[in-house]
Amino acid sequence: MAATGQAGAGPAEPAPEDLPHLRRCVELAAEAADAGDFPFGSVLVAGDGRVLAEDRNRENSAGDATRHPEIDLARWAAANMTADERAAATVFTSGEHCPMCSAAHAWVGLGRIVYVSSSEQLTAWLAELGVTPPPVMALPISQVAPGLVVQGPVPGLDEQVHELHRRFLRFSGSGPALS
């Protein structure tokens, strides 16, 4: 996948080695939705391609609006990786980081971000579904942490994430969350 250098710059073709991680993010997002949480999932991958950690959204089940998977992975990375290892790592995620997660990612010094669906897409999907906007603006990663290498969205997989949001909101009646 060619680096765009900024979030939401347009569709990108994932590298073959990225696809399993991106698919796993969608699986984790589905697990989150099935558990009553907003459909977001993320995977932290070392520079050598090893999966180090993964998580899904737990906002509703934990009763904590900060339980985004990207925050939990940033905390894990800070506790378990050197600065060089963090910089070489990639966070794959089903949805573009929200401002809170973007800031945590940058402060911890993690490397690139590859997301399936963008904040711009999520905002449009929520409007299409008549959901009240969240309390925090859905800023692109590049506006929160301009030095990060960001890639996405991923055509095809993004529609799977769209369907997860439709399904989740239809069954839960919950308001939005930005992961």
Side-chain angles (χ1 to χ4, degrees):
M1 181 182 295
T4 63
Q6 71 182 73
E13 288 298 320
E17 63 271 14
D18 290 344
L19 286 173
H21 305 306
L22 293 165
R23 287 187 190 107
R24 180 63 182 145
C25 292
V26 176
E27 290 171 2
L28 289 164
E31 288 176 21
D34 291 344
D37 288 300
F38 298 100
F40 295 99
S42 300
V43 177
L44 176 64
V45 177
D48 65 6
R50 288 177 299 121
V51 173
L52 300 173
E54 61 180 37
D55 207 351
R56 64 168 182 81
N57 187 286
R58 297 176 190 281
E59 288 179 70
N60 292 335
S61 58
D64 179 350
T66 68
R67 288 299 307 270
H68 295 192
E70 303 90 343
I71 291 282
D72 288 341
L73 292 180
R75 286 182 180 131
W76 186 93
N80 294 285
M81 300 172 75
T82 67
D84 288 343
E85 289 169 334
R86 291 191 304 267
T90 298
V91 173
F92 293 90
T93 188
S94 61
E96 182 176 3
H97 290 18
C98 72
M100 175 179 69
C101 295
S102 298
H105 187 108
W107 281 116
V108 169
L110 286 164
R112 78 180 173 133
I113 299 168
V114 183
Y115 61 82
V116 174
S117 60
S118 70
S119 295
E120 182 179 354
Q121 288 173 302
L122 179 59
T123 299
W125 299 339
L126 295 175
E128 154 197 310
L129 295 167
V131 175
T132 304
V136 176
M137 287 184 62
L139 299 173
I141 296 166
S142 63
Q143 288 187 5
V144 178
L148 297 177
V149 174
V150 181
Q151 300 166 281
V154 179
L157 285 178
D158 61 348
E159 194 49 46
Q160 291 178 31
V161 172
H162 185 189
E163 181 52 37
L164 286 173
H165 283 281
R166 278 194 291 259
R167 186 181 87 198
F168 174 75
L169 291 168
R170 185 171 44 245
F171 291 115
S172 73
S174 293
L178 298 175
S179 188

